Amino acid sequence: MRSRLGSGHSKQQPWLKGLSLRLGIAVVVLVICIISLFYSFGFTNSSYSVENIDVDKLWRTANSGGWRSSSAPRSDWPPPPAETSGYLRVRCNGGLNQQRSAICNAVVAARIMNATLVLPELDTNSFWRDESGFPGIYDVEHFIKTLRYDIHIVKSIPEVSSKGKTKKLKAHQIRPPRDAPLSWYTTFALEKMKQHGAIYLTPFSHRLAEEIDEPELQRLRCRVNYHALRFKPYIIEISREIVNRLRSQGHFMSIHLRFEMDMLAFAGCIDIFTSAEQKILIKYRKENFADKKLVYRERRLIGKCPLTPEEVGLILRSMDFDNSTRIYLASGELFGGDRFMKPFRALFPHLENHSTVGPEKLEENSRGLAGSAVDYMVCLLSDIFIPTYDGPSNFANNLMGHRLYYGFRTTITPDRKALAPIFMDREEGKGDRFEERVRKVMFSSGKFGGPHKRVHPESVYTNSWPECFCQVNAKNKKDKCPPNNVVELLESRLHSEELDESDKNRTANDSSAGLAEDSLI
């Protein structure tokens, strides 16, 4: 019996194997179908949601999610001691906003070194040919007053007496390493400061690591950037005048068009230009940047090429902005002449810049730091801001961060890498579903200036969330907003420290007087 059963089982085994195989294939096919349906539904649903996005809502600020900006200290933050380790001089190089970041870093460096900061120097000659410097652009008294709870600031390095002669204290010059950690300042730089009495850090651009693990120091950066660094009254006045003119007919957007010679040469995106223009770009690149072979098509596909003015116009049309949209252009001199602007102007005729809509008094310094400062303020106050290149362009990076801090104002950031193949297909005559594809890319993130976690390579100056933001009804203690009277508390503590220091000095003076009297007896 056992043998017959065993024999029967062996005869049925191929049939069972075949059944198992067919069932396995059927399951695989079923899974593939389900996945296909899922992705099909997902794509359809995404397309549907993209098609039904109301662009009119973009003129309003983004959803805050219950967050608000706050850079006030939230833990023990003692005022700067009366006696410091020495004087810190810095020379901030680069454009206006690169210098702005450097100033923030200088304040942080002064705080951790317990140094007295000498009013930062701006390298205005090499690029801007503008000698106005810090006092010509920023409100110096406001800068010093705002940071009085954080560091000591002096307008110039003091004079010292030596051998009967009075002369300025000579600062020991150091070239700091790029993205130096906090420890470099609290060891090497501090040792040199104590040794010489003053140090001079030059150049001072990107000389302090952006990601540091101390939230209070990140908040200090925000206090400098968004509160202490206030432009001179005449710059604010001109900027408001321009904004009022633009807004007199409704909403307006600002665009930072980074289609300029230095950026095009840096990016290596030269194939769209004439042979004469290419020679200019190649020469500029050799003189200013490291020698490196760059292939235009490869650079474009990875999103390293600035958007052309026409591409910006096509993006806006695909997003359903009509030709009545008022646009303020913040940019230097566009490379390649007006032939690159004509297609953009044909799509959006209401294009302005500070020369066309600004008052005549701006023209005296429109190419210098003041012109850049006005562009910055107008872009900050615009209803929508669009950076066309957010790589090394600190103007765009800083503005995105400032607009986030300034009430989550709408920012639309094109994904150049995702858009590149769509534009390249169009140029090759394969423009089917062009606008639909562009819309899908542009509306895929859905952030548009709302709070979101900072992810590398995003800079703390581009996104200071969560360190410089808080929630009124926070579930997490670390996200809780500081008390409303935090400034009064800091003022009280600073005043208390000053009184203590005054008492110490009085005691020391009394002791000295007593010793003097003893010596006379």
Side-chain angles (χ1 to χ4, degrees), residues 57-123:
K57 291 182 179 179
L58 295 179
W59 293 111
R60 302 195 288 271
T61 56
N63 184 1
S64 70
W67 293 85
R68 69 172 177 84
S69 59
S70 172
S71 59
R74 294 175 213 174
S75 59
D76 185 52
W77 189 256
E83 187 175 336
T84 64
S85 304
Y87 293 89
L88 173 63
R89 284 181 63 197
V90 297
R91 182 177 66 86
C92 307
N93 55 307
L96 177 71
N97 295 280
Q98 191 167 311
Q99 293 170 357
R100 194 178 181 100
S101 301
I103 295 167
C104 299
N105 288 341
V107 172
V108 172
R111 174 73 188 193
I112 61 175
M113 295 168 71
N114 183 31
T116 297
L117 179 66
V118 182
L119 200 66
E121 301 165 24
L122 306 186
D123 178 21

Coordinates of all heavy atoms in Angstrom, one line a residue, residues 57-123:
K57 N -3.2 81.8 -5.9 CA -2.8 81.6 -4.5 C -1.3 81.9 -4.3 O -0.9 82.2 -3.1 CB -3.2 80.2 -4.1 CG -4.7 80.0 -4.0 CD -5.0 78.6 -3.5 CE -6.5 78.4 -3.4 NZ -6.9 77.0 -2.9
L58 N -0.5 81.8 -5.3 CA 0.9 82.0 -5.2 C 1.2 83.5 -4.9 O 2.3 83.8 -4.4 CB 1.6 81.6 -6.4 CG 1.6 80.0 -6.8 CD1 2.3 79.7 -8.0 CD2 2.2 79.2 -5.6
W59 N 0.3 84.4 -5.2 CA 0.6 85.8 -4.9 C 0.5 86.0 -3.4 O 0.9 87.1 -2.9 CB -0.5 86.7 -5.6 CG -0.3 86.7 -7.1 CD1 -1.2 86.1 -8.0 CD2 0.8 87.2 -7.9 NE1 -0.7 86.3 -9.3 CE2 0.5 87.0 -9.2 CE3 1.9 87.9 -7.5 CZ2 1.4 87.4 -10.2 CZ3 2.8 88.3 -8.5 CH2 2.5 88.1 -9.9
R60 N -0.1 85.1 -2.6 CA -0.2 85.2 -1.2 C 1.0 84.5 -0.5 O 1.7 83.7 -1.2 CB -1.5 84.7 -0.7 CG -2.7 85.3 -1.3 CD -4.0 85.0 -0.5 NE -4.4 83.7 -0.7 CZ -5.3 83.3 -1.7 NH1 -5.7 84.1 -2.5 NH2 -5.6 82.0 -1.7
T61 N 1.2 84.7 0.7 CA 2.3 84.1 1.4 C 2.1 82.6 1.6 O 0.9 82.1 1.6 CB 2.6 84.7 2.8 OG1 1.3 84.6 3.6 CG2 3.0 86.1 2.7
A62 N 3.1 81.8 1.7 CA 3.0 80.3 1.9 C 2.4 80.0 3.2 O 2.4 80.8 4.2 CB 4.3 79.7 1.6
N63 N 1.9 78.7 3.3 CA 1.4 78.3 4.6 C 2.5 78.1 5.6 O 3.5 77.5 5.4 CB 0.7 76.9 4.4 CG 0.0 76.4 5.6 OD1 0.0 77.0 6.7 ND2 -0.6 75.2 5.5
S64 N 2.3 78.8 6.8 CA 3.4 78.8 7.8 C 3.4 77.5 8.7 O 4.4 77.2 9.3 CB 3.2 80.0 8.7 OG 2.0 79.8 9.5
G65 N 2.3 76.8 8.6 CA 2.3 75.5 9.5 C 2.4 75.8 11.0 O 2.8 75.0 11.7
G66 N 2.0 77.0 11.3 CA 2.0 77.4 12.8 C 3.3 77.9 13.3 O 3.5 78.2 14.4
W67 N 4.3 78.1 12.3 CA 5.6 78.6 12.7 C 5.7 80.1 12.5 O 5.0 80.7 11.7 CB 6.7 77.9 11.9 CG 6.9 76.5 12.1 CD1 6.1 75.5 11.6 CD2 7.8 75.9 13.0 NE1 6.6 74.3 12.1 CE2 7.6 74.5 13.0 CE3 8.8 76.4 13.9 CZ2 8.3 73.6 13.7 CZ3 9.5 75.5 14.6 CH2 9.3 74.1 14.6
R68 N 6.6 80.8 13.2 CA 6.9 82.2 13.0 C 8.4 82.4 13.3 O 9.0 81.6 14.0 CB 6.1 83.1 13.9 CG 6.4 83.1 15.4 CD 5.6 84.2 16.1 NE 5.8 84.2 17.5 CZ 6.8 84.7 18.2 NH1 7.8 85.3 17.5 NH2 6.9 84.7 19.5
S69 N 8.9 83.4 12.6 CA 10.4 83.7 12.8 C 10.7 84.2 14.2 O 9.9 85.0 14.8 CB 10.8 84.7 11.7 OG 10.1 85.9 11.9
S70 N 11.8 83.7 14.7 CA 12.3 84.2 16.0 C 13.8 83.9 16.1 O 14.1 82.7 16.1 CB 11.5 83.6 17.1 OG 12.1 83.9 18.4
S71 N 14.6 84.9 16.3 CA 16.0 84.7 16.4 C 16.5 85.1 17.8 O 17.7 85.1 18.1 CB 16.8 85.4 15.3 OG 16.6 86.8 15.4
A72 N 15.6 85.3 18.7 CA 16.0 85.7 20.1 C 16.6 84.5 20.8 O 16.2 83.4 20.5 CB 14.8 86.2 20.8
P73 N 17.5 84.7 21.7 CA 18.1 83.6 22.5 C 17.0 82.8 23.3 O 16.0 83.4 23.8 CB 19.1 84.2 23.5 CG 19.4 85.5 22.8 CD 18.1 86.0 22.1
R74 N 17.1 81.5 23.4 CA 16.2 80.7 24.1 C 16.8 79.9 25.3 O 16.2 79.1 26.0 CB 15.5 79.7 23.2 CG 14.6 80.4 22.1 CD 14.1 79.4 21.1 NE 14.0 80.0 19.8 CZ 13.6 79.4 18.7 NH1 13.3 78.1 18.7 NH2 13.6 80.1 17.5
S75 N 18.1 80.1 25.4 CA 18.8 79.5 26.6 C 19.7 80.6 27.2 O 19.6 81.8 26.8 CB 19.6 78.3 26.1 OG 20.5 78.7 25.1
D76 N 20.5 80.2 28.2 CA 21.3 81.2 28.8 C 22.2 81.9 27.8 O 23.0 81.3 27.1 CB 22.2 80.5 29.9 CG 23.0 81.5 30.7 OD1 22.4 82.5 31.2 OD2 24.2 81.3 30.8
W77 N 22.1 83.2 27.8 CA 22.9 84.0 26.8 C 23.5 85.2 27.5 O 22.9 86.3 27.5 CB 22.0 84.4 25.6 CG 22.8 85.0 24.5 CD1 22.8 86.4 24.1 CD2 23.6 84.4 23.5 NE1 23.6 86.5 23.0 CE2 24.1 85.3 22.6 CE3 23.9 83.0 23.3 CZ2 24.9 85.0 21.5 CZ3 24.7 82.7 22.2 CH2 25.2 83.7 21.4
P78 N 24.6 85.1 28.2 CA 25.2 86.2 28.9 C 25.7 87.3 28.0 O 26.1 87.0 26.9 CB 26.4 85.5 29.7 CG 26.7 84.3 28.8 CD 25.4 83.8 28.3
P79 N 25.6 88.5 28.5 CA 26.1 89.7 27.7 C 27.6 89.6 27.5 O 28.3 88.9 28.3 CB 25.7 90.9 28.5 CG 25.5 90.4 29.9 CD 25.1 89.0 29.8
P80 N 28.2 90.2 26.5 CA 29.6 90.2 26.4 C 30.4 90.8 27.5 O 30.0 91.8 28.0 CB 29.9 91.0 25.1 CG 28.7 91.9 25.0 CD 27.6 91.1 25.5
P81 N 31.4 90.1 28.0 CA 32.2 90.7 29.2 C 32.8 92.0 28.8 O 33.1 92.3 27.7 CB 33.3 89.6 29.4 CG 32.8 88.4 28.8 CD 32.0 88.8 27.6
A82 N 33.0 92.9 29.8 CA 33.5 94.2 29.6 C 34.9 94.1 29.0 O 35.3 94.9 28.2 CB 33.5 95.0 30.9
E83 N 35.7 93.2 29.5 CA 37.1 93.0 29.0 C 37.1 91.9 28.0 O 36.6 90.8 28.2 CB 38.0 92.7 30.1 CG 39.5 92.7 29.7 CD 40.4 92.4 30.9 OE1 40.0 92.7 32.1 OE2 41.5 92.0 30.7
T84 N 37.6 92.2 26.8 CA 37.6 91.2 25.7 C 39.0 90.7 25.4 O 40.0 91.2 26.0 CB 37.0 91.8 24.4 OG1 37.9 92.9 23.9 CG2 35.6 92.3 24.6
S85 N 39.1 89.7 24.6 CA 40.4 89.1 24.3 C 41.3 89.9 23.3 O 42.5 89.6 23.2 CB 40.2 87.7 23.7 OG 39.4 86.9 24.5
G86 N 40.7 90.8 22.6 CA 41.4 91.6 21.7 C 40.5 92.1 20.6 O 39.2 92.0 20.7
Y87 N 41.0 92.6 19.5 CA 40.2 93.2 18.4 C 40.3 92.3 17.2 O 41.3 91.7 16.8 CB 40.8 94.6 18.0 CG 40.6 95.6 19.1 CD1 41.5 95.7 20.1 CD2 39.4 96.3 19.2 CE1 41.4 96.6 21.2 CE2 39.2 97.2 20.2 CZ 40.2 97.4 21.2 OH 40.0 98.3 22.2
L88 N 39.1 92.2 16.5 CA 38.9 91.3 15.3 C 38.6 92.2 14.1 O 37.6 92.9 14.1 CB 37.8 90.3 15.5 CG 37.5 89.5 14.3 CD1 38.6 88.6 13.8 CD2 36.3 88.6 14.6
R89 N 39.5 92.3 13.1 CA 39.2 92.9 11.9 C 39.0 91.9 10.8 O 39.6 90.8 10.8 CB 40.4 93.8 11.4 CG 40.6 95.1 12.2 CD 41.9 95.8 11.6 NE 41.7 96.2 10.2 CZ 42.7 96.5 9.4 NH1 44.0 96.5 9.9 NH2 42.5 96.8 8.1
V90 N 38.0 92.2 9.9 CA 37.8 91.3 8.8 C 37.6 92.1 7.5 O 37.1 93.2 7.5 CB 36.5 90.4 9.0 CG1 36.7 89.5 10.2 CG2 35.3 91.2 9.2
R91 N 38.0 91.5 6.4 CA 37.7 92.1 5.1 C 36.8 91.2 4.3 O 37.2 90.1 3.9 CB 39.0 92.4 4.3 CG 38.8 93.1 2.9 CD 40.1 93.4 2.2 NE 40.8 92.1 1.8 CZ 40.6 91.5 0.7 NH1 39.6 91.9 -0.2 NH2 41.3 90.4 0.4
C92 N 35.6 91.6 4.1 CA 34.6 90.8 3.4 C 34.7 91.0 1.9 O 34.4 92.1 1.4 CB 33.2 91.2 4.0 SG 33.1 91.2 5.8
N93 N 35.0 90.0 1.2 CA 35.1 90.1 -0.3 C 33.9 89.5 -1.0 O 33.0 88.9 -0.3 CB 36.4 89.3 -0.7 CG 36.4 87.9 -0.3 OD1 36.3 87.6 0.9 ND2 36.6 87.0 -1.2
G94 N 33.8 89.7 -2.3 CA 32.7 89.2 -3.1 C 31.6 90.3 -3.3 O 31.8 91.5 -3.0
G95 N 30.5 89.8 -3.7 CA 29.3 90.7 -4.0 C 28.6 91.1 -2.7 O 29.0 90.6 -1.6
L96 N 27.6 91.9 -2.8 CA 26.9 92.4 -1.6 C 26.5 91.3 -0.7 O 26.6 91.4 0.6 CB 25.7 93.3 -2.0 CG 24.8 93.8 -0.9 CD1 25.6 95.0 -0.2 CD2 23.5 94.3 -1.4
N97 N 25.9 90.3 -1.2 CA 25.3 89.3 -0.3 C 26.3 88.2 0.2 O 26.1 87.6 1.2 CB 24.1 88.6 -1.0 CG 23.0 89.6 -1.3 OD1 22.3 89.9 -0.4 ND2 23.0 90.1 -2.5
Q98 N 27.4 88.1 -0.6 CA 28.5 87.3 -0.1 C 29.1 88.0 1.1 O 29.5 87.4 2.1 CB 29.5 87.0 -1.2 CG 30.6 86.0 -0.8 CD 31.4 85.6 -2.1 OE1 30.8 85.3 -3.1 NE2 32.7 85.7 -2.0
Q99 N 29.2 89.3 1.0 CA 29.7 90.1 2.1 C 28.8 90.1 3.3 O 29.2 90.0 4.4 CB 29.9 91.6 1.6 CG 31.0 91.8 0.6 CD 31.0 93.2 0.0 OE1 30.1 94.0 0.3 NE2 31.9 93.5 -0.9
R100 N 27.5 90.1 3.0 CA 26.5 90.0 4.1 C 26.7 88.7 4.9 O 26.7 88.8 6.2 CB 25.1 90.1 3.4 CG 24.0 90.3 4.4 CD 22.7 90.4 3.6 NE 21.6 90.7 4.6 CZ 21.0 91.9 4.7 NH1 21.5 92.9 4.0 NH2 20.0 92.1 5.5
S101 N 26.9 87.6 4.3 CA 27.1 86.3 5.0 C 28.4 86.4 5.8 O 28.5 85.9 6.9 CB 27.2 85.2 4.0 OG 26.0 85.1 3.2
A102 N 29.4 87.0 5.2 CA 30.7 87.2 5.9 C 30.6 88.0 7.2 O 31.2 87.7 8.2 CB 31.7 87.8 4.9
I103 N 29.7 89.0 7.1 CA 29.5 89.9 8.3 C 28.9 89.1 9.4 O 29.3 89.1 10.6 CB 28.6 91.1 8.0 CG1 29.4 92.0 7.0 CG2 28.3 91.9 9.2 CD1 28.5 93.1 6.3
C104 N 27.9 88.2 9.0 CA 27.2 87.3 10.0 C 28.3 86.4 10.7 O 28.3 86.2 11.9 CB 26.1 86.5 9.4 SG 24.8 87.5 8.6
N105 N 29.1 85.9 9.8 CA 30.2 85.0 10.3 C 31.2 85.7 11.2 O 31.6 85.1 12.2 CB 30.9 84.3 9.2 CG 30.1 83.3 8.4 OD1 29.1 82.8 9.0 ND2 30.4 83.0 7.2
A106 N 31.5 86.9 10.9 CA 32.4 87.7 11.7 C 31.8 88.0 13.1 O 32.6 87.9 14.1 CB 32.7 89.0 11.0
V107 N 30.5 88.2 13.2 CA 29.9 88.4 14.5 C 30.0 87.1 15.3 O 30.3 87.2 16.5 CB 28.4 88.9 14.3 CG1 27.7 88.9 15.7 CG2 28.4 90.3 13.7
V108 N 29.7 86.0 14.7 CA 29.7 84.7 15.4 C 31.2 84.5 15.9 O 31.4 84.0 17.0 CB 29.3 83.6 14.5 CG1 29.5 82.2 15.2 CG2 27.8 83.7 14.2
A109 N 32.2 84.7 15.0 CA 33.6 84.5 15.4 C 33.9 85.4 16.6 O 34.6 85.0 17.5 CB 34.5 84.8 14.2
A110 N 33.5 86.7 16.6 CA 33.8 87.6 17.7 C 33.1 87.1 19.0 O 33.7 87.2 20.0 CB 33.2 89.0 17.3
R111 N 31.9 86.6 18.9 CA 31.2 86.0 20.1 C 32.0 84.9 20.7 O 32.2 84.9 21.9 CB 29.8 85.6 19.7 CG 29.0 84.9 20.8 CD 28.6 85.9 21.9 NE 28.0 85.2 23.0 CZ 27.3 85.8 24.0 NH1 27.1 87.0 24.0 NH2 26.9 85.1 25.0
I112 N 32.4 83.9 19.9 CA 33.0 82.7 20.5 C 34.4 83.0 20.9 O 35.0 82.3 21.8 CB 33.0 81.5 19.5 CG1 33.8 81.8 18.2 CG2 31.6 81.1 19.2 CD1 33.9 80.7 17.3
M113 N 35.1 84.0 20.4 CA 36.4 84.4 20.8 C 36.4 85.5 21.9 O 37.5 85.8 22.4 CB 37.2 84.9 19.6 CG 37.4 83.9 18.5 SD 38.0 84.7 17.0 CE 39.7 85.2 17.5
N114 N 35.3 86.0 22.3 CA 35.1 87.1 23.2 C 36.0 88.2 22.7 O 36.8 88.8 23.4 CB 35.5 86.7 24.6 CG 35.4 87.9 25.6 OD1 34.5 88.7 25.4 ND2 36.2 87.9 26.6
A115 N 35.8 88.6 21.4 CA 36.6 89.6 20.8 C 35.8 90.9 20.6 O 34.5 90.8 20.5 CB 37.2 89.1 19.4
T116 N 36.4 92.0 20.5 CA 35.7 93.2 20.0 C 35.8 93.3 18.5 O 36.9 93.3 18.0 CB 36.4 94.5 20.7 OG1 36.3 94.4 22.1 CG2 35.8 95.8 20.2
L117 N 34.7 93.4 17.9 CA 34.7 93.4 16.4 C 34.9 94.8 15.9 O 34.1 95.7 16.3 CB 33.4 92.9 15.9 CG 33.2 92.8 14.4 CD1 34.2 91.9 13.7 CD2 31.7 92.5 14.0
V118 N 35.8 95.0 15.1 CA 36.0 96.3 14.4 C 35.0 96.3 13.2 O 34.9 95.3 12.5 CB 37.4 96.5 13.9 CG1 37.6 97.9 13.2 CG2 38.4 96.4 15.0
L119 N 34.3 97.4 13.0 CA 33.3 97.5 11.9 C 33.8 96.8 10.6 O 34.9 97.2 10.1 CB 32.9 98.9 11.6 CG 31.6 99.1 10.9 CD1 30.4 98.7 11.8 CD2 31.5 100.6 10.5
P120 N 33.2 95.8 10.1 CA 33.7 95.0 9.0 C 34.0 95.9 7.7 O 33.3 96.8 7.4 CB 32.6 94.0 8.7 CG 31.9 93.8 10.0 CD 31.9 95.2 10.6
E121 N 35.1 95.5 7.1 CA 35.5 96.2 5.8 C 34.9 95.5 4.7 O 34.9 94.3 4.6 CB 37.0 96.3 5.7 CG 37.7 96.9 6.9 CD 39.2 96.6 7.0 OE1 39.8 96.3 5.9 OE2 39.8 96.7 8.0
L122 N 34.4 96.2 3.7 CA 33.8 95.6 2.5 C 34.8 95.9 1.3 O 35.3 97.0 1.1 CB 32.5 96.3 2.1 CG 31.4 96.3 3.2 CD1 30.1 96.8 2.7 CD2 31.2 94.9 3.8
D123 N 35.1 94.8 0.6 CA 36.1 94.8 -0.5 C 35.3 95.4 -1.7 O 34.7 94.6 -2.5 CB 36.6 93.4 -0.8 CG 37.5 93.4 -2.0 OD1 38.0 94.5 -2.4 OD2 37.7 92.4 -2.6

